[in-house]
Amino acid sequence: KTQYFIATKDAGLFTYDYQNNEIVPFKMYDYKGDILSIKNLWRIYYKNNVLWLGFRENGVYKYSDLENQIPFFSLKDVTQYNDFVKKSESEIFLATNNGLILYNVENHSQRLLIEEPVRLFQLKNEVLWVCTDLSIYRFDIKTEKIHKVVDLNQKGILNFLCDRKDNLWISIYG
């Protein structure tokens, strides 16, 4: 059966209850068994019966339908998570106020790849496009080489998109 999830910024996560034909809060528990406060949900990713949840201030949680548990991680000194995307089954990229972090969910190691606050990114064809307030970087996942491709100095980057022809579309403010 298909399960629908509804993520909100302030009210948390909801799911559709087929039996009662209603939308209900999705209750989750942390690693200690306590009910998890799931406000400020910023990013959701669902694949192969695994639900990844990124919270603005509380880290990243993983919910597995098979295990019915949520392994949790929150990195020391990181106070804001802006985005995340899976690199592999064991590694995820994290956009944080500390920079771009590659985090290994199995051994809990982490590497800081870009040392400035990262707002968002886009994964496309083995390339991770990374957006900070003033710059856009191209990170080649295979070679792990990073190149700054846009530097706006005074103008802030609000959003960006890399289209199918690899053109960068950038919205700015300031």
Side-chain angles (χ1 to χ4, degrees):
K1 129 182 157 180
T2 302
Q3 189 167 11
Y4 293 99
F5 294 99
I6 303 161
T8 69
K9 180 180 176 188
D10 296 321
L13 183 66
F14 294 82
T15 187
Y16 179 71
D17 179 348
Y18 289 92
Q19 291 179 332
N20 298 317
N21 193 28
E22 64 182 346
I23 295 172
V24 296
F26 187 72
K27 291 185 181 155
M28 298 186 302
Y29 302 89
D30 67 14
Y31 60 96
K32 295 181 278 186
D34 297 328
I35 289 183
L36 178 64
S37 172
I38 52 176
K39 295 192 178 202
N40 265 332
L41 181 58
W42 206 253
R43 181 84 158 108
I44 186 169
Y45 176 80
Y46 186 76
K47 187 174 181 180
N48 300 328
N49 290 327
V50 175
L51 178 66
W52 291 85
L53 304 168
F55 294 88
R56 195 72 153 158
E57 298 163 356
N58 298 326
V60 178
Y61 287 74
K62 175 184 169 187
Y63 175 80
S64 171
D65 292 341
L66 304 174
E67 301 167 6
N68 200 22
Q69 65 181 355
I70 304 171
F72 161 80
F73 69 86
S74 182
L75 304 179
K76 183 181 179 185
D77 300 327
V78 174
T79 57
Q80 183 173 316
Y81 297 84
N82 297 322
D83 206 353
F84 73 92
V85 67
K86 280 178 60 174
K87 177 185 178 192
S88 66
E89 288 305 311
S90 62
E91 292 181 309
I92 59 176
F93 290 106
L94 298 168
T96 75
N97 63 315
N98 295 43
L100 178 65
I101 297 171
L102 180 60
Y103 181 77
N104 187 303
V105 296
E106 292 176 353
N107 65 20
H108 305 288
S109 65
Q110 62 186 16
R111 284 191 298 144
L112 185 61
L113 303 173
I114 295 176
E115 294 187 43
E116 60 183 284
V118 175
R119 297 173 35 108
L120 51 109
F121 42 56
Q122 177 184 353
L123 181 62
K124 183 177 177 232
N125 301 328
E126 299 295 319
V127 171
L128 186 67
W129 294 91
V130 180
C131 178
T132 67
D133 282 335
L134 301 174
S135 304
I136 295 179
Y137 294 86
R138 183 185 189 281
F139 178 76
D140 186 305
I141 292 175
K142 288 182 181 177
T143 64
E144 294 199 355
K145 292 191 178 186
I146 299 171
H147 302 284
K148 186 184 280 190
V149 294
V150 174
D151 189 358
L152 296 180
N153 293 330
Q154 303 294 321
K155 304 282 185 185
I157 300 173
L158 183 63
N159 207 340
F160 83 105
L161 172 76
C162 181
D163 68 19
R164 63 179 166 242
K165 294 183 180 180
D166 288 335
N167 296 309
L168 283 178
W169 297 85
I170 303 167
S171 63
I172 60 173
Y173 61 90

